[in-house]
Amino acid sequence: MTFEFFLCITTLMVLAGIGAPIAYAILLAVFVYLFASGAGVGIAGKVLMDGLYQSFILLAVPLFIVAANIMNAGTISDRLLSFCVALVGRFRGGLGHVNVVASLIFSGMSGSAIADAAGIGKIIIEMMTKSGHYTRGYAAAITAASATIGPIIPPSIPMVLYALVSNTSIGYLFLGGIVPGLFMGGVLMAMNWWLSKRRGFALEEPVPFRELPRRTANAFPALLMPAILLYGIYGGVTTPTEAAAVAAFYALLLAALFYRALSFRALYLILVESARSSAAVGLVIGGALILNYVVASENIPSVLAQHLVGLDVDPLVFLLSVNLLLLLLGCLLDATTIILVIIPLFIPTCRELGIDLVHFGVVAVVNCMIGLITPPYGILLFVITAVTQIPLSEIISEVWPFLGVLLLALLCMVLWPGLVLTLPRMMGYAG
């Protein structure tokens, strides 16, 4: 490690440690490196502009953010929840199952865990607590856990970012996330059923079966969005970026024209909020692009790859070790930073060891999502606390069983790559 790079890393750790926004910490650390090495600051601008100019796929990020915010602002979330209550609300732990199924459906529209938790999550938490069958902490904990599925089932903003740094097909990454996302939903529902039975949670009043067709028809236009996205991408009609634009436009049509639940003022506020969220993500992306240039200049990925290959590391051991490291980092860093800054360090080694990059990418994104509910950082826990005013201590005390089954699901994905790669291979992926 050169002295200049040591200064860069030290600056980044100190600033992040004292609570500075991670985007500013990265940018300041990079400028310290450039000044210490005698390089011109203009290099940062060139790297940033080159990275953005060559990354057309990044346009998908603000478009998915707009789509998610429109979905939350209209009555679409309410209609989806009504459909889910009729579908699975009659079983033991009914509203807990509704919570998970709603996240599975909404994940096919938003691509963001935070959007799921802050939007549809807030509504279902109120439903669960008002029923009198669930504690506040339990309702918030299962909401946080189910929101992690949002970026696994396509569309997925984290997978778009991973495709940026790994040059992997975003279409195959989206396909690879479908089975793992459903698997995560299944283990969460199983844990919810077991806890509900053990604690004696009362059964919800079942919705009559004759109501199911009406509620399905009411939610059907919203349920079509994932199908439209997947057909557009895999049918060759649209690129993933164009599919994001279609998602935003379709959400606008539904909310404004079909359901008539969106005013011009509400749309203005949605666009402003989406711009702020996109700018926050853009700052991290910009800082990460420059930091990745610094890391490449230091030749760290190649040295790391050569060192590990020289040690004849078993690919499974390497994959398990990287996942353990990402889990630890997930307790402290947000998912965007891990994907853009940390994961690129391991991609050359994955290529050297013959690890499939689609498998690695999906597993890494799942890992980062689990980090969102891992104390002490667990940004999803803070988001839910902020929107519901439920004390953080109550959520943390209830989240451990759900965290445990998600870790078990992650281990299964690492050990059996077929969970991730079966669908992509069926659609022609050669990996």
Side-chain angles (χ1 to χ4, degrees):
M1 183 184 296
T2 63
F3 176 70
E4 293 85 357
F5 189 66
F6 173 77
L7 283 178
C8 177
I9 295 299
T10 302
T11 303
L12 177 59
M13 293 179 65
V14 169
L15 290 174
I18 62 176
I22 192 67
Y24 300 149
I26 293 173
L27 288 170
L28 287 173
V30 167
F31 286 134
V32 167
Y33 175 88
L34 294 176
F35 282 123
S37 62
V41 179
I43 291 177
K46 181 180 184 303
V47 170
L48 179 59
M49 293 308 298
D50 286 347
L52 295 177
Y53 181 75
Q54 297 170 8
S55 304
F56 178 69
I57 198 170
L58 281 180
L59 284 175
V61 174
L63 291 170
F64 281 137
I65 290 174
V66 170
N69 287 342
I70 291 175
M71 286 286 186
N72 280 332
T75 61
I76 298 173
S77 299
D78 296 330
R79 296 171 191 271
L80 289 175
L81 276 177
S82 178
F83 165 73
C84 294
V85 169
L87 190 66
V88 296
R90 67 189 68 250
F91 303 112
R92 175 73 66 180
L95 287 181
H97 297 319
V98 169
N99 197 320
V100 177
V101 172
S103 290
L104 284 169
I105 295 173
F106 203 74
S107 66
M109 305 174 192
S110 69
S112 167
I114 293 176
D116 287 4
I120 206 167
K122 181 181 179 181
I123 302 171
I124 189 64
I125 287 174
E126 291 178 358
M127 289 174 61
M128 293 180 72
T129 52
K130 285 181 180 178
S131 73
H133 302 161
Y134 308 89
T135 64
R136 295 186 305 173
Y138 185 88
I142 192 171
T143 300
S146 65
T148 61
I149 304 172
I152 310 303
I153 293 179
S156 167
I157 293 174
M159 286 187 188
V160 171
L161 300 180
Y162 174 80
L164 169 69
V165 300
S166 66
N167 199 29
T168 308
S169 165
I170 185 64
Y172 289 132
L173 282 170
F174 278 5
L175 270 179
I178 294 176
V179 173
L182 295 175
F183 184 49
M184 291 167 68
V187 298
L188 287 176
M189 292 177 74
M191 177 54 70
N192 173 62
W193 176 85
W194 184 77
L195 289 175
S196 299
K197 186 175 181 180
R198 183 182 178 188
R199 299 184 185 184
F201 290 158
L203 288 170
E204 311 298 331
E205 184 177 346
V207 175
F209 279 112
R210 64 178 180 274
E211 280 286 306
L212 186 57
R214 184 183 65 81
R215 296 197 184 193
T216 302
N218 210 14
F220 185 72
L223 295 172
L224 274 180
M225 181 182 279
I228 292 172
L229 286 175
L230 293 176
Y231 174 76
I233 295 172
Y234 305 116
V237 179
T238 64
T239 66
T241 304
E242 291 165 350
V246 171
F249 182 67
Y250 184 70
L252 182 59
L253 284 180
L254 281 185
L257 299 180
F258 191 83
Y259 292 135
R260 298 185 180 276
L262 194 64
S263 64
F264 282 108
R265 174 169 174 75
L267 178 60
Y268 170 76
L269 295 176
I270 286 170
L271 294 177
V272 170
E273 180 58 33
S274 300
R276 288 173 178 164
S277 300
S278 300
V281 175
L283 277 174
V284 179
I285 292 173
L289 287 172
I290 306 171
L291 183 58
N292 289 340
Y293 165 79
V294 171
V295 171
S297 300
E298 294 287 319
N299 206 31
I300 291 174
S302 298
V303 171
L304 181 63
Q306 292 170 7
H307 179 68
L308 290 173
V309 172
L311 291 177
D312 193 26
V313 176
D314 183 87
L316 180 58
V317 173
F318 172 77
L319 205 52
L320 289 171
S321 302
V322 170
N323 273 278
L324 181 59
L325 175 62
L326 294 180
L327 282 171
L328 294 175
L329 291 174
C331 298
L332 304 170
L333 300 174
D334 65 280
T336 302
T337 304
I338 294 174
I339 292 170
L340 293 174
V341 177
I342 306 299
I343 287 177
L345 297 175
F346 302 112
I347 290 174
T349 306
C350 289
R351 291 194 178 101
E352 292 287 340
L353 295 178
I355 296 173
D356 186 88
L357 289 185
V358 170
H359 177 227
F360 179 73
V362 173
V363 167
V365 170
V366 171
N367 197 315
C368 291
M369 293 307 103
I370 293 175
L372 295 179
I373 62 168
T374 305
Y377 186 70
I379 190 170
L380 275 180
L381 306 181
F382 290 110
V383 168
I384 290 177
T385 294
V387 300
T388 64
Q389 305 304 312
I390 297 174
L392 186 62
S393 59
E394 292 184 26
I395 304 176
I396 292 177
S397 66
E398 295 280 13
V399 82
W400 296 109
F402 301 110
L403 182 59
V405 293
L406 288 177
L407 289 173
L408 180 61
L410 174 64
L411 180 61
C412 292
M413 294 173 212
V414 172
L415 296 177
W416 293 289
L419 283 172
V420 174
L421 297 176
T422 297
L423 276 183
R425 285 169 177 165
M426 289 173 61
M427 296 298 291
Y429 179 59

